[in-house]
Amino acid sequence: EPQAMVTEMPVKSVLLVLSVIAVVDQSSASTDVCPFQLHNQTSCTERAFKWTNETSAAGCCASCVATTDCNAWEYAASAQKKAGNCHLKAAPGIAEYQPGTTCGTKGPLPPVPMPPTPGPPLPPAPPAPKGSPNIVWFLTDDQDQKLGGSFPEHNGVGPMPKTKAALADKGATATQWFIHTPICCPSRSELVTGRYFHNLKAPGGGCMHINEDLVNNETFALYLHNRGYTVGMFGKYLNNNPRTPPPGIDAYMTNGGGNYMAPQFDTKGVSDLAPYYMRDGSWQGNISDYTTSVVGNMSMSWIKKVAGGPRPFFVYIAPKACHEPFTPAPWYADYWDPTWPATEPRPISWNASFESRKNHHGNIATNPLISEKCAEYVTTSHHNRWRALMSVDDLIDTVVGYVEEQGLADNTYFLYSSDHGFQLGEFNLLIDKRQHYDHDIRIHLLARGPGIQAGSTFPYPGTQVDLAPTWLGLAGLAKPSGMDGRSIAPLLIDPTAAGVPTQTVAHIDSLAPAGTKVFADSWRKEVFIEYYFNDPNTKCNNYPTEDSTNNFITLRTMANSTFGDISYTEYETGNQGRVNINFDHVDFLEVYNLTNDTWQMNNIASATDPTQTKLKEKLHEWFTCQGDSCP
């Protein structure tokens, strides 16, 4: 049945799905004509390399049989008609329940990995100091900055005008913000722990090489809980999602990304929240439930429950958008503003020649030219990414609007960013991330709250590793010695401005006793990037995203540093899942001067350049840092 709008939700919000999406008869394939094991009501789309449009599951099966290297397929009768409702894959991904979907495999589906067991419940926390600020954190997935998908907007257009008005125009926009690791599970682990990849990695396993025990047992939430905060987490947490919340989280409705339609969430402490009243354990949506809507509705319901209560709140809101397969809400599926670009950006690195890529590492040098069909695939992806972000725009606008209406905005900090950047045909990598180039690692950061100047820019370089220490600092807490990141509060907030919470002022004063200007002048002028090969992840049938050469550490220095606007990267071939990689057998270098090579086409690596020797030394200082020794 169509879902009813709950009466307490703002009418202006379009977060709820108001009509059931029609499901076309699947005309299911049978084992008599399809040589695959069939899994009905099951999604396994993680590694599709080709999408086609078919009228039945049997047709999708036949398409796979006729396609070289196709070893699994999925048919979704009601989804992704523009990109194709038949997904062909070299191997199946992890299975998830999804009504109206059939998956075919040549063997059993991969088992769902078991998440680590959480620790025992925490004792009750003492009351938070009076006047402690609320903190609202928004996190999107794969939302690029350099290619024009976020903030600052390119040419005055973008898919999130409401967010621009609510956050960018009333707060600060970062201009030198980066991700430490351009892939999901490591990036999100680093975010919640404030630690760099080399201090979290797990040789021989883990979640994309992350030791999850080092993450789930010591997130920022544990410290905020002990400070007297109530913490709610809604949306995507880690790809290998814990079924019960890490210590310190009171309201928990999370998954590893899941499906856009009919999402599943692991749940605890949200059974009293409208409109879904999810019991502890797990909740499965139906085909009319759009994941961003569910995340938005539950976040809003929890904020309404705790706002103005005895404890300050921290809410972590992380929708799936705009991750592949970029499914927009049905009500935005055909929308395209006439001022928006007709195609994705196509700089000099887009569909680059073999000659121009010959001094780049691994499969970048060998990927084929982009075919007309695959160029259309990239453009469709670009369009649907922006459409998917429109629902996030609604979500952010609704949450910020409600906090304002309740008179709480003057004591609330809002922050919004992404887990990494993206690529849309640069160096003939069709979609995805996983590289050190600026379009993969530059991300937006918007911040609004007491002491943050409206309409300002934030020029200091940092990464997501710096955010957990910052959140704690806003609450008046010093960062734990094991956190590698540093609080940016003294760079972002004027402690002399009216209304800045006493706890936040005390934190800034403790870090900047000589004043925020002295603190800013001594701030780092580079960021550190670290990544380990995950899997080939082929797109559009013939375009791998990476290979085993793609393990790297990067020093990205800013234009005002002694080195200038430089990207210095060392590679070492291997598989972190089997043998620990420590970059003591470097086999390839990439060095770019972005002052005159914005798209990183001209590799100027030289083993005899003394400046590059100094860059190497600085890079390895970062790679071996831990806790307070990190710059």
Side-chain angles (χ1 to χ4, degrees):
E1 292 294 325
Q3 298 174 344
M5 177 75 77
V6 293
T7 57
E8 66 268 28
M9 288 293 291
V11 175
K12 65 180 179 181
S13 171
V14 288
L15 294 175
L16 279 176
V17 179
L18 296 179
S19 61
V20 175
I21 300 171
V23 178
V24 180
D25 180 14
Q26 285 186 250
S27 304
S28 298
S30 73
T31 53
D32 296 335
V33 296
C34 180
F36 288 84
Q37 292 186 23
L38 302 182
H39 311 274
N40 292 320
Q41 315 301 330
T42 301
S43 169
C44 53
T45 61
E46 287 298 318
R47 294 174 182 158
F49 64 77
K50 183 180 180 181
W51 295 359
T52 66
N53 271 309
E54 307 294 342
T55 58
S56 67
C60 187
C61 177
S63 180
C64 184
V65 170
T67 301
T68 304
D69 297 327
C70 183
N71 296 306
W73 54 270
E74 175 183 324
Y75 175 72
S78 64
Q80 300 150 359
K81 291 297 179 98
K82 289 180 169 51
N85 58 8
C86 174
H87 303 177
L88 308 184
K89 298 167 290 187
I94 294 173
E96 291 185 336
Y97 170 77
Q98 180 158 314
T101 299
T102 299
C103 184
T105 64
K106 290 187 176 179
L109 284 165
V112 177
M114 294 297 292
T117 302
L122 296 174
K130 185 177 180 180
S132 296
N134 305 306
I135 304 170
V136 179
W137 167 245
F138 301 105
L139 178 67
T140 44
D141 200 317
D142 290 1
Q143 189 176 3
D144 62 272
Q145 190 276 325
K146 187 166 182 176
L147 300 178
S150 64
F151 303 93
E153 290 181 335
H154 289 204
N155 301 316
V157 298
M160 305 184 71
K162 299 172 187 175
T163 300
K164 179 180 182 299
L167 297 183
D169 293 348
K170 296 182 179 180
T173 301
T175 57
Q176 303 286 5
W177 203 254
F178 296 82
I179 201 65
H180 172 58
T181 302
I183 197 169
C184 296
C185 199
S187 172
R188 290 164 182 267
S189 298
E190 295 149 8
L191 168 69
V192 298
T193 62
R195 302 182 72 185
Y196 290 114
F197 202 165
H198 57 270
N199 294 325
L200 293 173
K201 69 178 180 177
C207 184
M208 299 180 184
H209 313 306
I210 286 287
N211 182 340
E212 295 149 89
D213 286 338
L214 296 178
V215 179
N216 295 316
N217 292 330
E218 200 166 341
T219 73
F220 71 93
L222 178 64
Y223 300 99
L224 287 180
H225 168 87
N226 292 338
R227 184 65 166 177
Y229 274 71
T230 182
V231 179
M233 181 176 281
F234 302 89
K236 182 176 178 179
Y237 173 43
L238 300 182
N239 297 62
N240 187 13
N241 200 62
R243 292 191 174 91
T244 55
I249 299 175
D250 302 301
Y252 187 70
M253 187 210 78
T254 69
N255 61 18
N259 300 310
Y260 277 98
M261 305 307 303
Q264 176 275 334
F265 291 97
D266 298 308
T267 55
K268 188 172 182 180
V270 294
S271 61
D272 59 342
L273 300 183
Y276 309 101
Y277 304 102
M278 302 175 181
R279 65 183 182 183
D280 288 356
S282 180
W283 180 83
Q284 175 62 61
N286 59 49
I287 198 64
S288 68
D289 292 312
Y290 184 63
T291 183
T292 306
S293 298
V294 175
V295 171
N297 283 321
M298 291 295 282
S299 301
M300 276 293 301
S301 192
W302 185 75
I303 292 171
K304 289 183 176 184
K305 173 184 173 181
V306 301
R311 300 165 68 188
F313 66 85
F314 181 107
V315 60
Y316 186 113
I317 304 174
K320 179 182 176 73
C322 51
H323 194 283
E324 187 182 3
F326 324 120
T327 307
W331 49 89
Y332 289 138
D334 297 312
Y335 182 86
W336 197 254
D337 190 285
T339 66
W340 291 357
T343 70
E344 71 287 350
R346 295 186 174 182
I348 189 173
S349 60
W350 192 91
N351 198 18
S353 68
F354 286 104
E355 178 67 19
S356 67
R357 289 181 275 131
K358 68 181 181 181
N359 290 325
H360 290 68
H361 78 285
N363 62 283
I364 289 182
T366 58
N367 267 15
L369 296 175
I370 300 177
S371 68
E372 182 178 351
K373 180 178 181 180
C374 291
E376 293 176 358
Y377 165 79
V378 174
T379 299
T380 298
S381 299
H382 164 64
H383 287 175
N384 283 335
R385 284 165 57 77
W386 280 39
R387 291 169 176 140
L389 287 169
M390 293 176 70
S391 293
V392 181
D393 196 37
D394 292 331
L395 185 160
I396 292 174
D397 181 58
T398 300
V399 169
V400 174
Y402 176 77
V403 174
E404 290 176 335
E405 290 165 5
Q406 297 304 303
L408 300 174
D410 289 343
N411 195 44
T412 299
Y413 287 100
F414 303 91
L415 298 99
Y416 165 43
S417 192
S418 172
D419 63 352
H420 30 65
F422 211 63
Q423 58 217 11
L424 290 165
E426 290 71 32
F427 297 121
N428 303 43
L429 302 170
L430 300 188
I431 61 172
D432 216 273
K433 48 272 180 181
R434 313 183 193 214
Q435 307 293 332
H436 72 85
Y437 306 110
D438 262 24
H439 49 269
D440 290 298
I441 61 174
R442 276 191 181 271
I443 53 175
H444 65 279
L445 174 67
L446 303 182
R448 171 187 164 182
I452 300 176
Q453 184 178 350
S456 62
T457 57
F458 178 81
Y460 304 99
T463 71
Q464 301 297 68
V465 177
D466 297 314
L467 289 177
T470 302
W471 298 337
L472 299 187
L474 296 176
L477 291 171
K479 83 176 184 72
S481 60
M483 281 190 176
D484 306 323
R486 298 175 62 191
S487 171
I488 63 170
L491 304 171
L492 190 62
I493 297 167
D494 177 2
T496 67
V500 179
T502 302
Q503 297 84 349
T504 308
V505 172
H507 167 69
I508 294 172
D509 289 345
S510 71
L511 294 181
T516 55
K517 184 181 185 306
V518 174
F519 182 89
D521 289 343
S522 65
W523 186 255
R524 68 170 87 101
K525 292 179 173 58
E526 74 278 340
V527 293
F528 169 56
I529 315 299
E530 181 178 1
Y531 179 85
Y532 301 91
F533 165 70
N534 189 56
D535 62 38
N537 200 249
T538 303
K539 308 293 183 183
C540 199
N541 195 31
N542 199 32
Y543 298 81
T545 299
E546 62 173 342
D547 60 23
S548 61
T549 68
N550 197 41
N551 304 282
F552 59 82
I553 49 177
T554 295
L555 187 69
R556 181 66 175 87
T557 64
M558 304 299 109
N560 64 340
S561 73
T562 56
F563 299 107
D565 199 6
I566 299 293
S567 174
Y568 175 91
T569 300
E570 296 184 352
Y571 291 91
E572 182 175 319
T573 302
N575 188 333
Q576 176 66 28
R578 298 173 183 168
V579 179
N580 197 33
I581 294 172
N582 285 316
F583 298 97
D584 47 10
H585 295 88
V586 172
D587 50 31
F588 199 83
L589 290 176
E590 289 191 19
V591 185
Y592 302 97
N593 185 335
L594 281 85
T595 300
N596 50 29
D597 184 18
T598 303
W599 294 97
Q600 296 164 273
M601 300 292 293
N602 182 26
N603 183 2
I604 58 173
S606 169
T608 61
D609 185 336
T611 298
Q612 293 184 24
T613 300
K614 293 178 182 179
L615 286 163
K616 177 183 181 70
E617 292 171 355
K618 185 70 172 176
L619 173 62
H620 283 265
E621 289 177 12
W622 275 95
F623 181 58
T624 56
C625 83
Q626 185 174 9
D628 291 337
S629 72
C630 294

